[in-house]
Structures are given as structure tokens and as C-alpha cells.
């Protein structure tokens, strides 16, 4: 199949915008908890009325400060409740929010402020406000532009959210409504800058229609998740990323109560207290939970029991998947019996790690290994993998509770068409596809063909319209022998090993394929404890024979997926980590392959002599 579509489920008034979603929820039930905030005494609900009042107060402050409809306003903050309040306040004032990752460097901040033309900026705290002021003071691009910097707190000296709200007390409701209702579905709602795996980030013009139409249609597309009583989710992915932001708007449309976690370090503790009914997750979280569970079992002398439980979970899920594809009858009675046993004694402990109320998880941002997808589904934590980009306002395909095929990223979401070009590139047309790149006519000319957005990803569609992503066009390696190699599947398989944090397959123009591997310090500590090996640092582990033997097994398992010409012949263990701070990962944890190859050129050259 070369093309698949899903029809639109609901249309919206062209004159409406994303703020109408909040007004609809308020009109429906003003006391309903749209959000919940973590405090010293636990989680405290924020009603639709309370949230709307806070949004209106800040919006009036922006209007009093001279904001004009269509004006861009930057927001630099980690994931927190105040991010959401500021986001909607800018929309109510008729502005266009421009997210800036909290981890952004000075040069990235400078570029985004310059390219977006932002006239003011919200900063999470004094440290980030200070960084912004330093950028403004030293910038050549901004030419001495004076931008008001507002801290996103209610305490301390002005300017902050409290002083901004106080400044707007003289703005009337009619003036606020004039600003709020200026934009329609076709107007730009946000400039979202790509993470920049190569080159400078490009500003994607996401419209009110992109956010609102995706939100309203996804709610109807996933009723088992979003249209149930008292749905709750915990947001911990960066709100500067379009995936988290789009999901937050979807949750607003559904009336789902949203909590925020400041960092992944607090996630497990917050999951236990918040008890979400569904969760947006990146694959690394599944990897960490699996490794942690395996480690606890090994320390308790139950390693074989855990391995058996994992095998049963995977077999059970694979049998369900085969039945869904019409290739089998489902789990046999032996598998069902074993699964029922582990579902009483072991799987509930794993589910409790997610709060105990989790019905579904949605995985996005990067590829999920089929091993983890099958394991967690078999253990009673269904994983629905989806696919999307900044340019598609995140989700353009998704698996659903009733239509799931592990290893695929699902079917087109409503109002979307997926086409696979002759060269295998995935093309997208639909309600989520952005308006275009800001101030970048050249990029826009390259980005579209026949009205479809060119994703740069390679994939295939099966007979039922399920999309499988096989790699990135620009990541495809061509060896000196002319063999095309997709590095993604090899890297995903190697990363399943508890010792591995990241794996990067290289070999473009080389006589054979090799890999760069970085070690996971926590995984290494656990591995040493289980195998009764003296504790060692990642630097010491690089030369340890037992570690290399374990890594070779992981590489051998990856090689089993491909032909001999595509297999990894050699690998090197790096005394380094790939992080956002090192410049090797994007804030959404995607690998910056070009940066890795550039920075570790010496190690790669040693592999090939």
C-alpha cells in the first residue's frame, strides 16, 4: 500500500481558536479540576474557574503592557504548571508563544529571539532570567534590543507573574475579548523551533487550527483513553517540545486533569502519589523501568523468575499481536495459565511503579523497541506507539486500544493522509501539518511535494494502513561496498542491554559497519552487583574483559536482525556520555548523529585503521 487516510471526525468554526477549548470546558463545569499542582501537602486541584481567572489576569497584564495581536512572546522554562498559565495568557492576549528549551545555550536563545522577533520573554526563575539578560547585553544579532523579562513566579521583586497581573487590573473584559477572539484557525498560534539535529533550529508556524483540530479529533479517536470518567495524566516531557504541548491541549479538550513533574528524577515518586490513568512516555523511561525491575529481582535472588515472567509477558503480547494481524489464534492455554500466575505475583508490582491506575501509555518522540512494547503490554501496561514531528503538531499516526500492531506507529489520525513515496520517504497531509517555516522560503520550497510534507523518514504501509518507520533518509549509511544500512534497528537492539546508554552505528563510506557505545553508569552499577564484579566507573569498564564480552553479546543479538554485510564488525566503548548538555542529544532525547560523528572522529578513525 502506498497511501492511507483516516477521515476527519469533527470540524471547527474557522473563526474559533485554541482558547475556545478552555472556554468550552469552563462552560461545561467550572469546578472541574483541569490541573493539579504539587505542593508541600501533596497535590491540589485547580478548577477550570481558577485556571481561567489566572489566565485572564495575566492576559490583561500583557495587554496593559502593549502587546498587539500576532506579537511573539518567548517562554523559557521547564515543565511546570506556570508554563501552561503563561501559554494560555499569551493566547488570550492575542499573542504567539515561542517556546525556548530550558537547556538552550546562549547562542540558541539569541537565534530564537532574533528569528522569532519576540518582543518580551518569560523566564522560569532568576537564573534563567539572568541568562537571558546576558544574551541581550552581548548579542550582535539582537542589536541592543530591549526585551522585558518576566520571571514565572509570584514571589519576590517585580517583574514577575504577580506584578504582571497587577498591572492589568485596569483592562476591561471587552478589551480582553477583542484580543482573545482576533485569531482564527488559520492564524499562527505558536512558533515552535525544531530541536536542530543539524544546523540552526527552524521556526515551525503551528496554527490555532493545528492545535485545536488535532485536539478535538484525537479525543474522539481515543475514547478508551480520553473519554473515560476522571482521566488523569502526569506531564514530565519538556513543554517546549510540540509533543508535550499538543498532548496538553488534547487533555484540555478532553477535560483530563493534568499534573506536572519538574524532572525525570521525581517521576517515579510523583507517579505513586498522582496515580495517572494514562501517561505520555519516551522509550528511555520504559528502558529504565525494565532495567530497574530486573535489577531488583536479581538482587533478591529472583533473576530467573523475572526472566520467566518477562518471557511470558512477551510471548503473551506477541500472540495477541499475531491474532490482531490474522496470523494466529491468540495466546495458547499454557501461555494464558503462566500469564495468569505472573499477573497475580509479579506484574502488579510493575504496574504499581506507574501508580497502579495506569490504563494506557503512549510512546512517542523516538522509536520504541518491540521487546519493551511487548513486555509492558504483556505485563498489563499497554503501550500505544505513535509517530509525528514538530511540523505535524506531533501525532500524525497512532496505534489505538482497538487497533494495535506492535512494531508499527499505527494508522493515520483523523483528518490525515500518509503517503509513501517511491523512494520510501513518508509524506504527510492533514490537520496537523504546519503552515510553514518562519522566514525561510528556501526550506518551505524543499519541505512540500504535491501538497504533502516531506518528513525525511523512511517507512512502509501494510494492507491495513499501519505505518512502520524504518529509518531516516539522511541517516542511511552506504558502505564502501555499496550496501545500504539503516542504523536505527541495530542501535535500538543494542540499547536494550542494561549496560548501554547509547549506541551509534557508523560506517558511511567505510569497508564495514561499526558502533560507538556509551555506558549507563546506573546500569553498570547494577550489572556489577548482579554479576559479583567489583564496582567500577564507566572509564574503568571500557577495558574490562567481562564488560566487553557482555557488550559483544548485545552486538551479536543486533547482528541477528540483519545480513552479514549490514552487521557490526567492531565497536568501541566511549569514555563519554551523550547528553543534551554535551550537544549530542536534542531536548526530546533524539540523537544528533552528525555531532557524534564529528566529535568522535578520532575514535572512528582508529576503528578503520
Amino acid at each position: 500500500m502506498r497511501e492511507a487516510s483516516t477521515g476527519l471526525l469533527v470540524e471547527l468554526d474557522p473563526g474559533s481558536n485554541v482558547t475556545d477549548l478552555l472556554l468550552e470546558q469552563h462552560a461545561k463545569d467550572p469546578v472541574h479540576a483541569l490541573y493539579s499542582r504539587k505542593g508541600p501537602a501533596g497535590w491540589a486541584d485547580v478548577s477550570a474557574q481558577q485556571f481561567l481567572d489566572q489566565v485572564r489576569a495575566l492576559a490583561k497584564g500583557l495587554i496593559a503592557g502593549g502587546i498587539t495581536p500576532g506579537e511573539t512572546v518567548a517562554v523559557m522554562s521547564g515543565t511546570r504548571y506556570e508554563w501552561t498559565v503563561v501559554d494560555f495568557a499569551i493566547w488570550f492576549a492575542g499573542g504567539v508563544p515561542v517556546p525556548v528549551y530550558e537547556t538552550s545555550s546562549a547562542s540558541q536563545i539569541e537565534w530564537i529571539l532574533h528569528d522569532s522577533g519576540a518582543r518580551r520573554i518569560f523566564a522560569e526563575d532568576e537564573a534563567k532570567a539572568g541568562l537571558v539578560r546576558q544574551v541581550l547585553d552581548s548579542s550582535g544579532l539582537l542589536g541592543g534590543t530591549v526585551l522585558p523579562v518576566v520571571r514565572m513566579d509570584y514571589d519576590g521583586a517585580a517583574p514577575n507573574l504577580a506584578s504582571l497581573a497587577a498591572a492589568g487590573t485596569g483592562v476591561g473584559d471587552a478589551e480582553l475579548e477583542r484580543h482573545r477572539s482576533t485569531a482564527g484557525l488559520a492564524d499562527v498560534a505558536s512558533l515552535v523551533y525544531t530541536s536542530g539535529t543539524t544546523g540552526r533550529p527552524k521556526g515551525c508556524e503551528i496554527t490555532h487550527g493545528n492545535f485545536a483540530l488535532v485536539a478535538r479529533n484525537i479525543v474522539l479517536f481515543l475514547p478508551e483513553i480520553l473519554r473515560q470518567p476522571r482521566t488523569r495524566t502526569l506531564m514530565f516531557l519538556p513543554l517546549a517540545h510540540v509533543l508535550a504541548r499538543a498532548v496538553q491541549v488534547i487533555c484540555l479538550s478532553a477535560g483530563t486533569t493534568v499534573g506536572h513533574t519538574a524532572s525525570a528524577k521525581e517521576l517515579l515518586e510523583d507517579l505513586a502519589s498522582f496515580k495517572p490513568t494514562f501517561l505520555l512516555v519516551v522509550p528511555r523511561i520504559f528502558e529504565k523501568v525494565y532495567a530497574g525491575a530486573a535489577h531488583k529481582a536479581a538482587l533478591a535472588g529472583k533473576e530467573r523468575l523475572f526472566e520467566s515472567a518477562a518471557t511470558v509477558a512477551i510471548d503473551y503480547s506477541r500472540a495477541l499481536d499475531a491474532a490482531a494481524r490474522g496470523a494466529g489464534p491468540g495466546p495458547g492455554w499454557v501461555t494464558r495459565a503462566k500469564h495468569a500466575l505472573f499477573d497475580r505475583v509479579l506484574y502488579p508490582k510493575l504496574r504499581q511503579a506507574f501508580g497502579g491506575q495506569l490504563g494506557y501509555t503512549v510512546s512517542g518522540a523516538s522509536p520504541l523497541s518491540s521487546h519493551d512494547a511487548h513486555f509492558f503490554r504483556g505485563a498489563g501496561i499497554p503501550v500505544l506507539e505513535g509517530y509525528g514531528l514538530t511540523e505535524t503538531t506531533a501525532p500524525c499516526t497512532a496505534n489505538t486500544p482497538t487497533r494495535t500492531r506492535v512494531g508499527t506507529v499505527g494508522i493515520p489520525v483523523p483528518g490525515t493522509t500518509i503517503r509513501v513515496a517511491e523512494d520510501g520517504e513518508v509524506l504527510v497531509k492533514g490537520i496537523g501539518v504546519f503552515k510553514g517555516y518562519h522566514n525561510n522560503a528556501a526550506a518551505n520550497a524543499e519541505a512540500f511535494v504535491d501538497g504533502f510534507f516531506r518528513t525525511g523518514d523512511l517507512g512502509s504501509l501494510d494492507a491495513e494502513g499501519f505505518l512502520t518507520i524504518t529509518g531516516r533518509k539522511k541517516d542511511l549509511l552506504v558502505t564502501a561496498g555499496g550496501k545500504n544500512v539503516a542504523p536505527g534497528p541495530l542501535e535500538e537492539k543494542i540499547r536494550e542491554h542494561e549496560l548501554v546508554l547509547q549506541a551509534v552505528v557508523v560506517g558511511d563510506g567505510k569497508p564495514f559497519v561499526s558502533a560507538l557505545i556509551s555506558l549507563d553508569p546506573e546500569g553498570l552499577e547494577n550489572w556489577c552487583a548482579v554479576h559479583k564484579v567489583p564496582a567500577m566507573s564507566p572509564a574503568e569498564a571500557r577495558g574490562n574483559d567481562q564488560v566487553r564480552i557482555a557488550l559483544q553479546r548485545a552486538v551479536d543479538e543486533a547482528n541477528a536482525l540483519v545480513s552479514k554485510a549490514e552487521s557490526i564488525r567492531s565497536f568501541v566503548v566511549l569514555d563519554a556520555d551523550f547528553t543534551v548538555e554535551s550537544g549530542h542529544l536534542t531536548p526530546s532525547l533524539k540523537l544528533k548523529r552528525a555531532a557524534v560523528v564529528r566529535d568522535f572522529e578520532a575514535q572512528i578513525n582508529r576503528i578503520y585503521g
Side-chain angles (χ1 to χ4, degrees):
M1 180 182 286
R2 285 290 182 183
E3 189 170 300
S5 299
T6 300
L8 197 65
L9 297 179
V10 62
E11 296 184 2
L12 297 176
D13 179 354
S16 65
N17 62 49
V18 72
T19 65
D20 288 298
L21 300 179
L22 173 55
L23 297 181
E24 289 169 9
Q25 283 298 331
H26 175 261
K28 189 183 301 182
D29 186 357
V31 301
H32 175 67
L34 291 180
Y35 299 95
S36 191
R37 302 182 67 182
K38 183 183 177 184
W43 295 93
D45 286 345
V46 180
S47 70
Q49 183 68 64
Q50 291 170 319
F51 180 68
L52 181 59
D53 288 345
Q54 292 172 22
V55 166
R56 282 174 167 162
L58 290 182
K60 287 182 176 181
L62 286 169
I63 294 169
I67 191 173
T68 58
E71 184 173 293
T72 49
V73 180
V75 184
M76 184 179 180
S77 171
T79 296
R80 58 206 295 250
Y81 170 75
E82 289 79 7
W83 212 121
T84 309
V85 178
V86 168
D87 203 18
F88 270 87
I90 296 169
W91 278 332
F92 263 67
V96 177
V98 182
V100 180
Y101 284 103
E102 60 171 330
T103 54
S104 295
S105 66
S107 62
Q108 290 170 328
I109 296 168
E110 179 187 39
W111 169 251
I112 292 173
L113 293 179
H114 164 72
D115 189 64
S116 68
R119 304 311 305 157
R120 65 199 73 213
I121 182 167
F122 287 87
E124 178 177 353
D125 51 29
E126 184 53 40
K128 291 182 177 60
L131 175 58
V132 171
R133 286 192 287 266
Q134 289 175 21
V135 169
L136 296 174
D137 290 342
S138 61
S139 174
L141 279 177
L142 295 170
T145 303
V146 178
L147 300 184
V149 182
V150 180
R151 287 193 330 278
M152 295 167 64
D153 61 49
Y154 288 91
D155 301 315
N160 61 5
L161 299 185
S163 65
L164 180 64
T169 53
V171 176
D173 291 343
E175 179 67 3
L176 173 62
E177 179 61 17
R178 185 181 72 81
H179 277 252
R180 185 201 71 80
S181 59
T182 297
L185 295 184
D187 292 305
V188 176
S190 187
L191 281 183
V192 181
Y193 281 77
T194 59
S195 300
T197 55
T198 59
R200 274 179 163 168
K202 298 191 290 287
C204 298
E205 297 181 340
I206 310 296
T207 68
H208 284 272
N210 292 146
F211 277 124
L213 280 166
V214 166
R216 289 290 298 275
N217 280 273
I218 290 290
V219 172
L220 297 177
F221 185 59
L222 299 172
E224 301 90 345
I225 300 175
L226 295 164
R227 302 193 79 187
Q228 303 304 308
R230 295 179 294 281
T231 56
R232 298 167 62 82
T233 193
L234 195 59
M235 185 65 66
F236 67 95
L237 298 183
L239 283 169
H241 190 276
V242 74
L243 174 60
R245 197 128 156 271
V247 168
Q248 188 157 257
V249 176
I250 291 168
C251 289
L252 173 66
S253 181
T256 293
T257 303
V258 178
H260 299 90
T261 292
S263 69
K265 294 179 181 178
E266 300 176 22
L267 180 60
L268 291 181
E269 177 185 331
D270 287 348
L271 285 170
S273 58
F274 189 81
K275 301 185 185 305
T277 60
F278 71 91
L279 196 64
L280 175 63
V281 184
V282 292
R284 187 60 184 158
I285 298 299
F286 289 118
E287 294 167 7
K288 297 287 281 185
V289 171
Y290 181 88
H295 176 61
K296 287 182 181 178
L299 290 180
K302 299 179 180 179
E303 184 174 9
R304 290 188 178 179
L305 179 66
F306 181 83
E307 290 175 352
S308 296
T311 298
V312 169
I314 292 169
D315 289 347
Y316 185 84
S317 177
R318 283 177 173 160
L320 291 176
D321 205 57
R325 296 171 187 262
W333 71 268
V334 173
T335 299
R336 290 199 306 272
K338 291 180 179 179
H339 185 269
L341 173 62
F342 286 124
D343 201 36
R344 289 196 299 272
V345 301
L346 196 148
Y347 300 151
K349 296 178 182 178
L350 191 69
R351 295 195 288 268
Q352 202 59 43
F354 289 92
Q357 303 297 319
L358 203 61
Y360 294 93
T361 59
V362 179
S363 179
S366 59
L368 174 69
S369 75
S370 60
H371 171 278
D372 288 345
H374 282 303
F375 169 76
F376 282 99
R377 180 167 76 158
I381 304 171
V383 183
L384 304 175
E385 190 171 8
Y387 166 73
L389 305 93
T390 301
E391 292 87 346
T392 63
T393 320
C396 60
T397 70
N399 284 282
T400 76
T402 57
R403 297 191 68 185
T404 297
R405 293 191 178 180
V406 175
T408 78
V409 291
I411 60 175
V413 302
T416 302
T417 299
I418 301 294
R419 176 185 291 177
V420 177
E422 290 296 327
D423 64 354
E425 183 175 10
V426 178
L427 312 176
V428 185
K429 178 191 289 185
I431 58 174
V433 175
F434 73 145
K435 193 171 186 175
Y437 294 113
H438 182 65
N439 289 338
N440 200 331
N444 287 329
E446 295 178 3
F448 294 90
V449 57
D450 298 332
F452 282 79
F453 172 68
R454 301 172 62 179
T455 67
D457 289 313
L458 299 171
S460 61
L461 287 164
D462 67 15
E464 300 300 319
F466 284 83
L467 177 66
T468 298
I469 300 297
T470 56
R472 290 283 293 171
K473 286 180 70 174
K474 66 181 179 183
D475 290 345
L476 200 65
L477 307 177
V478 183
T479 67
K483 183 64 177 177
N484 289 346
V485 180
L490 291 165
E491 292 166 349
E492 290 166 25
K493 190 64 179 177
I494 295 172
R495 280 202 307 270
E496 289 179 7
H497 197 283
E498 65 177 320
L499 283 171
V500 179
L501 186 63
Q502 290 289 345
V504 182
V505 172
V506 297
D508 197 38
K510 305 296 185 182
F512 56 86
V513 177
S514 58
L516 307 177
I517 295 175
S518 68
L519 299 177
D520 184 341
E522 183 180 342
L524 175 61
E525 181 182 347
N526 294 344
W527 183 87
C528 289
V530 170
H531 291 83
K532 296 180 172 55
V533 173
M536 65 184 96
S537 68
E540 294 169 330
R542 291 176 63 215
N544 183 276
D545 290 340
Q546 289 175 271
V547 170
R548 289 197 64 85
I549 290 170
L551 293 175
Q552 184 62 60
R553 291 197 190 104
V555 170
D556 291 342
E557 290 181 9
N559 285 341
L561 302 174
V562 298
S563 68
K564 184 176 181 180
E566 299 168 273
S567 64
I568 297 168
R569 309 284 183 85
S570 179
F571 68 88
V572 62
V573 183
L574 301 175
D575 185 16
D577 188 8
F578 303 149
T579 65
V580 175
E581 291 72 22
S582 72
H584 299 124
L585 297 180
T586 71
S588 58
L589 305 184
K590 292 178 183 175
L591 188 73
K592 293 185 176 182
R593 190 176 301 276
V596 172
V597 172
R598 179 196 65 225
D599 292 347
F600 295 95
E601 182 181 11
Q603 290 87 337
I604 295 172
N605 287 341
R606 282 198 290 272
I607 292 175
Y608 296 103

